């Protein structure tokens, strides 16, 4: 295992797709003034760079080599964080269906996950890190000071996603979103490498019938109870 690069505190926010991890993580990072790691964006960046190089997700070896040389940067701006791969801003492509599909295949390869450990751990810098993902509390930062695992029913997550996409003017079918989410959950939970499960010492928050603000408030209460944050 790669050594941790720093002893700065870490708060791990894990959970399945569409549960609001990104929004909760960004709110915590903003209010604490800590760094933010979107580990899903790391897997998406590998998938995108692989596509650009004509690499499929079948062979681990070239993907592992790519992880070692990944030209990936996050740039903070007033509207959020932009992702740069090979020097170009790739925010829109990163969320495309094609990249999502490849990212999920790439993320199931044990050697790729291992090759990305050091990169993810390098985000652990003072004053602290909010780490958003699936295995932040179980594998990447097992010594995190606080581990929160967010859940919500697949129906509720499909409803939230439906609303988001409709608001963006996209044409979507709720039943299709629901079956995609249920299928992805099953794959993530059952994969042999870093399955999406709560760490033994994680606090589980079921947000099915909670507003985003209420989830953030609950998470902040746990942060304060641990004595983490601005001193
Ligand atoms: O959270 P997301 O949808 O941006 O994640 C993209 C892909 O990467 C998705 O297939 C889940 C996977 N992933 C993972 O396996 N482990 C992580 N820590 C984060 C994401």
């Amino acid at each position: 295992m790669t050594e941790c690069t720093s002893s700065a505190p870490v708060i791990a926010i894990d959970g399945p797709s569409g549960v609001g991890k990104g929004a909760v993580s960004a709110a915590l990072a903003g209010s604490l003034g800590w760094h933010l790691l979107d580990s899903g964006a790391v897997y998406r960046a590998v998938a995108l760079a692989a596509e650009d190089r004509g690499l499929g997700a079948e062979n681990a070896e070239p993907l592992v080599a790519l992880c070692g040389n990944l030209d990936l940067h996050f740039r903070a701006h007033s509207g959020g964080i932009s992702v740069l791969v090979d020097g170009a801003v790739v925010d829109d492509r990163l969320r495309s269906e094609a990249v999502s599909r490849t990212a999920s295949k790439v993320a199931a390869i044990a050697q790729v996950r291992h090759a990305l450990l050091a990169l993810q751990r390098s985000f652990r810098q003072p004053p602290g890190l909010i780490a958003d993902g699936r295995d932040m509390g179980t594998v990447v930062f097992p010594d995190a000071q606080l581990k929160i695992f967010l859940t919500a029913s697949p129906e509720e997550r499909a409803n939230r996603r439906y609303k988001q996409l409709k608001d963006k003017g996209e044409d979507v079918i709720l039943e299709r979103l629901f079956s995609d989410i249920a299928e992805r959950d099953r794959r993530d939970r059952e994969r042999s490498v870093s399955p999406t499960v709560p760490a033994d010492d994680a606090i589980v928050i079921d947000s099915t019938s909670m507003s985003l603000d209420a989830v953030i408030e609950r998470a902040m209460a746990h942060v304060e109870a641990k004595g983490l944050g601005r001193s």
Side-chain angles (χ1 to χ4, degrees):
M1 255 212 194
T2 318
E3 288 298 315
C4 291
T5 49
S6 150
S7 59
V10 175
I11 298 174
I13 310 283
D14 287 307
S17 306
V19 79
K21 299 185 301 281
V24 172
S25 298
L28 292 190
S31 105
L32 297 174
W34 285 15
H35 302 282
L36 178 62
L37 166 63
D38 174 357
S39 60
V42 174
Y43 286 98
R44 287 172 183 273
V46 172
L48 185 148
E51 278 181 7
D52 284 349
R53 287 159 179 76
L55 300 174
E58 304 76 33
N59 292 325
E61 208 177 301
L63 289 172
V64 168
L66 172 62
C67 292
N69 295 305
L70 193 62
D71 180 5
L72 169 66
H73 294 279
F74 292 91
R75 187 186 288 159
H77 53 81
S78 56
I81 294 178
S82 275
V83 181
L84 287 87
V85 175
D86 295 326
V89 174
V90 292
D91 296 343
D92 288 340
R93 250 188 92 196
L94 214 60
R95 302 274 145 206
S96 69
E97 269 307 304
V99 166
S100 301
R101 224 171 306 121
T102 312
S104 122
K105 291 182 191 161
V106 156
I109 303 173
Q111 298 97 311
V112 167
R113 301 196 73 89
H114 185 80
L116 291 173
L117 280 175
L119 170 69
Q120 294 177 86
R121 288 175 177 156
S122 72
F123 283 78
R124 186 178 201 168
Q125 299 291 340
L129 175 68
I130 308 294
D132 160 356
R134 308 285 195 289
D135 60 345
M136 299 295 100
T138 48
V139 176
V140 183
F141 302 108
D143 60 339
Q145 278 68 15
L146 174 63
K147 301 177 185 178
I148 293 177
F149 191 90
L150 293 180
T151 65
S153 70
E155 291 83 359
E156 175 60 18
R157 285 183 283 132
N159 279 328
R160 290 178 193 170
R161 186 88 184 114
Y162 179 77
K163 210 174 157 303
Q164 261 174 8
L165 293 172
K166 275 282 179 197
D167 287 350
K168 280 207 266 174
E170 289 185 33
D171 201 14
V172 278
I173 301 166
L174 181 61
E175 290 71 26
R176 175 85 197 278
L177 284 177
F178 174 76
S179 62
D180 282 356
I181 283 180
E183 173 59 20
R184 235 182 307 156
D185 278 3
R186 192 191 54 73
R187 249 202 333 257
D188 279 358
R189 224 180 18 244
E190 294 177 0
R191 73 176 174 212
S192 57
V193 45
S194 299
T196 306
V197 290
D200 290 341
D201 50 351
I203 290 157
V204 178
I205 300 178
D206 183 341
S207 73
T208 304
S209 46
M210 291 170 82
S211 67
L212 177 61
D213 284 348
V215 178
I216 293 169
E217 208 173 294
R218 176 88 60 88
M220 271 313 284
H222 287 290
V223 171
E224 280 159 20
K226 287 269 182 187
L228 297 166
R230 293 184 194 274
S231 47

